[in-house]
Amino acid sequence: MFRGIRPSVLSWLLPTLVVGPLVGMLFLTLMVLLPTLKDPNSRIYSSRIGYPARQRQTGKPIAVETFVVGQQIATNAIGAPGVSVALDDVNVRPEINGVVESVLVKEGDWVRKGQLLFRLRQNDILARVQQARTDLARSQNQLRQQEVDTQGAIQLLEDEVTLARDRLNTATARVQDSTVRIQQQIEQERTATRVRLENARERLESIRYLHKQGAVSEFRLLDAEDLYAARLQEFENASRGDFLDQNSQFINRDFFLERELDLSAAKQQLANLRQTQSVTLKSLRLDVEKAEAIVNETEGLLDKTLLYAVSDGLISKVNVDAGDFYEIGEDALITLSQNVAFEAFVDQVRLDTIRVGDPVTVRLVAYPGKTFSGSVVRINPAVETEGFRLGKVSINRQYTYSVWIKVEGLPMSPGLQGFAAFNSSQRAVQVPERAITHISEGEAMVMVIESGQAVVRQVGVGQRFDNSREIISGLEIGEQVILDPRVLQPGDRVTSTTVKPDAARFQDLP
């Protein structure tokens, strides 16, 4: 191989061929290794010959990259498959047994509150209503007639009581007049008999005197005494009223008592009539109330033959045809779906980035090329465990939550498949993931610069936004957080170079 080459040339060629490749390999090795000594992502960086270790050995500060803590607007873009579902289902069923006469809606119809859905046959109930109304009218007529009759009878007896009271007043006046007249007669008679008695006494005294003188006989004295005794008896009788006609007094008294009894009897008859008529009227009023109750009941049954929509909604199920017999307790005849929303199945890892009220864009398979706006109205608080397959999209429900979205301007029916795109933005204090270590149960460690030294700080962390993490507590806006702090030790002297937020990860606040 080396024939024909002079020995002097071989003396330097052979070493060159051996040493040259070695030098080249060494140069390439140095070109590769030297940058890794300062590359925080390389293993050599954290070794004994890495940049931080050499800086500590020489007592020099370690150059680090830092991020200034600030509040940013973070945007999350999350896509999730889903299906439209009814948040509320109203089962419509009659409250009475009956034959379905007609069904006025079909599945898929959109109905308004108060719209008639179907009716039951009314023939038998209409007959009962008519009979109940006839019975009520008859009871009301009987009550009105009895009230008129009762009022007339009571008026007659009240007139009788008034007449009896007037007669009693007349009798009372008659007795009073008779009493006055008798007193006057007694007084007059006493005056007259007193005069006659006084005359008889004077005559008796005169004859007694003459008898003592012997001027008159004994016979005349006795005659004068008899006359005086007769006049005295007359005076006593006059004082007692014995001279009056007793029959007249008794007649007046009997007339008064008779009229008093007449008034008492009339009052008793009036009281008895009022009592008996009150019982009769009460019974008739009860009959009217019962008849009214029967009318209300039968009319209520008539109303129950008509079934209306209790609210706006979509007819999602019709389980009846005209001519079917319905019996209370059977399944609902019509299902009215209310508040139909799009249920999106979101990975639970991303669920904490979604809030009620966030805007959502929905695309439905049934409406190709169209998008619909909506907003989050509910987030399922529990993990579901049953897996299923939605169309061509496999959903593992063990790792998903349900997020319900109210779609605007589209009266959806249940069962429409599609996708939801969540584009939420929020203000949050954030730092790059490179600055965080030891994340566990909402807490983590970062290093900040204090007085030129690296200091460990415990922080509370929240949502993750792409390559950044929300800081809930532990950091103040304006502090410098060290990026890639894993090889640093607390107390290391550092010099910092501030790194601006990556435009791909953050959007600066205006």
Side-chain angles (χ1 to χ4, degrees):
M1 176 178 178
F2 296 103
R3 292 178 182 178
I5 300 176
R6 290 181 295 178
S8 59
V9 175
L10 289 174
S11 63
W12 63 266
L13 180 59
L14 290 175
T16 300
L17 293 174
V18 174
V19 175
L22 294 176
V23 172
M25 293 176 61
L26 179 60
F27 177 77
L28 292 175
T29 301
L30 292 176
M31 292 297 291
V32 173
L33 292 179
L34 287 177
T36 62
L37 295 178
K38 291 188 176 183
D39 183 4
N41 294 320
S42 69
R43 294 184 178 181
I44 297 177
Y45 181 82
S46 59
S47 67
R48 293 181 180 180
I49 63 173
Y51 171 73
R54 289 188 292 105
Q55 291 295 97
R56 289 192 199 97
Q57 292 173 1
T58 59
K60 297 179 180 180
I62 303 171
V64 295
E65 291 181 339
T66 59
F67 176 81
V68 178
V69 178
Q71 195 177 54
Q72 311 290 334
I73 293 180
T75 302
N76 280 314
I78 302 174
V83 63
S84 59
V85 295
L87 298 183
D88 301 296
D89 282 334
V90 178
N91 292 321
V92 181
R93 53 170 61 88
E95 299 180 36
I96 59 175
N97 300 334
V99 178
V100 178
E101 185 176 83
S102 59
V103 181
L104 306 177
V105 293
K106 60 182 181 300
E107 292 183 3
D109 285 351
W110 184 264
V111 297
R112 297 294 182 182
K113 181 179 180 180
Q115 182 175 336
L116 183 61
L117 303 179
F118 66 91
R119 62 167 57 92
L120 300 180
R121 191 168 296 166
Q122 300 177 336
N123 297 346
D124 294 340
I125 298 179
L126 282 173
R128 293 172 59 185
V129 170
Q130 187 60 41
Q131 182 61 47
R133 290 173 178 172
T134 301
D135 293 343
L136 174 60
R138 183 172 56 254
S139 297
Q140 290 173 335
N141 289 335
Q142 290 177 349
L143 176 60
R144 283 193 295 267
Q145 186 61 46
Q146 185 63 40
E147 288 175 341
V148 172
D149 294 344
T150 299
Q151 186 62 34
I154 290 176
Q155 186 63 49
L156 288 175
L157 287 180
E158 287 178 345
D159 293 342
E160 287 292 333
V161 170
T162 301
L163 181 60
R165 186 177 290 110
D166 292 341
R167 290 174 178 175
L168 178 61
N169 292 336
T170 301
T172 301
R174 181 175 174 179
V175 170
Q176 290 176 348
D177 292 343
S178 175
T179 301
V180 171
R181 188 170 58 255
I182 289 172
Q183 290 297 328
Q184 292 176 349
Q185 291 177 358
I186 291 173
E187 189 63 30
Q188 292 174 358
E189 187 66 22
R190 286 182 64 186
T191 302
T193 56
R194 185 182 293 112
V195 172
R196 289 196 295 269
L197 177 62
E198 183 64 22
N199 293 335
R201 185 183 63 75
E202 291 178 354
R203 183 181 179 194
L204 177 60
E205 290 178 353
S206 176
I207 290 178
R208 281 178 179 172
Y209 175 77
L210 293 175
H211 182 268
K212 287 180 180 181
Q213 297 295 327
V216 294
S217 63
E218 182 73 19
F219 177 78
R220 291 191 64 183
L221 177 63
L222 293 174
D223 185 58
E225 290 177 348
D226 291 340
L227 180 59
Y228 177 78
R231 295 292 183 263
L232 179 61
Q233 184 64 42
E234 288 179 356
F235 177 76
E236 291 176 352
N237 291 339
S239 298
R240 292 194 300 271
D242 292 343
F243 65 94
L244 299 175
D245 184 2
Q246 297 295 325
N247 290 332
S248 176
Q249 295 184 50
F250 290 147
I251 290 173
N252 290 336
R253 185 65 181 174
D254 291 344
F255 181 75
F256 172 79
L257 293 176
E258 183 179 350
R259 295 296 177 265
E260 194 173 43
L261 290 174
D262 290 344
L263 177 61
S264 177
K267 288 182 176 180
Q268 186 62 44
Q269 287 180 352
L270 180 60
N272 292 339
L273 178 64
R274 283 175 172 166
Q275 183 177 2
T276 56
Q277 292 303 313
S278 175
V279 174
T280 302
L281 291 175
K282 183 177 181 180
S283 176
L284 292 175
R285 290 190 182 102
L286 287 176
D287 291 342
V288 171
E289 291 177 1
K290 291 178 181 178
E292 288 175 343
I294 294 174
V295 169
N296 292 334
E297 180 184 357
T298 54
E299 288 180 346
L301 293 176
L302 187 62
D303 292 339
K304 291 177 181 179
T305 61
L306 303 177
L307 276 293
Y308 298 91
V310 297
S311 64
D312 295 352
L314 183 82
I315 302 298
S316 58
K317 188 180 296 184
V318 177
N319 297 325
V320 64
D321 293 315
D324 290 349
F325 179 80
Y326 176 81
E327 186 174 357
I328 294 177
E330 294 181 357
D331 294 338
L333 302 187
I334 290 179
T335 300
L336 178 64
S337 296
Q338 299 174 310
N339 302 323
V340 178
F342 187 82
E343 182 182 8
F345 308 108
V346 180
D347 189 335
Q348 61 181 343
V349 176
R350 308 298 300 275
L351 189 69
D352 58 355
T353 64
I354 299 175
R355 298 286 185 271
V356 172
D358 284 352
V360 186
T361 300
V362 177
R363 292 178 175 84
L364 300 173
V365 176
Y367 297 88
K370 293 184 179 181
T371 59
F372 302 92
S373 299
S375 59
V376 177
V377 294
R378 189 191 303 175
I379 300 176
N380 187 7
V383 178
E384 302 183 22
T385 58
E386 180 184 358
F388 78 103
R389 187 173 183 85
L390 175 62
K392 296 182 179 181
V393 182
S394 180
I395 304 295
N396 187 344
R397 297 295 286 277
Q398 185 177 2
Y399 302 100
T400 60
Y401 280 74
S402 292
V403 176
W404 283 275
I405 303 159
K406 187 65 175 179
V407 179
E408 301 172 359
L410 178 64
M412 293 187 299
S413 60
L416 297 180
Q417 300 178 11
F419 285 85
F422 300 85
N423 296 307
S424 61
S425 298
Q426 65 182 79
R427 296 173 181 266
V429 176
Q430 305 170 53
V431 298
E433 286 276 5
R434 294 168 52 194
I436 297 176
T437 61
H438 303 95
I439 299 178
S440 177
E441 296 182 356
E443 294 184 347
M445 297 293 183
V446 298
M447 274 192 168
V448 298
I449 298 178
E450 293 182 2
S451 302
Q453 293 183 337
V455 177
V456 176
R457 183 80 59 81
Q458 181 174 329
V459 295
V461 295
Q463 303 178 37
R464 179 181 178 182
F465 302 100
D466 293 331
N467 293 323
S468 66
R469 179 74 67 166
E470 178 185 10
I471 301 299
I472 298 176
S473 61
L475 288 177
E476 299 293 337
I477 294 178
E479 288 189 293
Q480 288 185 311
V481 178
I482 299 174
L483 302 177
D484 303 310
R486 290 176 176 79
V487 298
L488 296 181
Q489 298 176 1
D492 281 347
R493 294 172 55 212
V494 294
T495 59
S496 64
T497 300
T498 302
V499 177
K500 293 184 178 181
D502 186 353
R505 291 178 294 166
F506 301 110
Q507 179 184 350
D508 293 333
L509 284 171

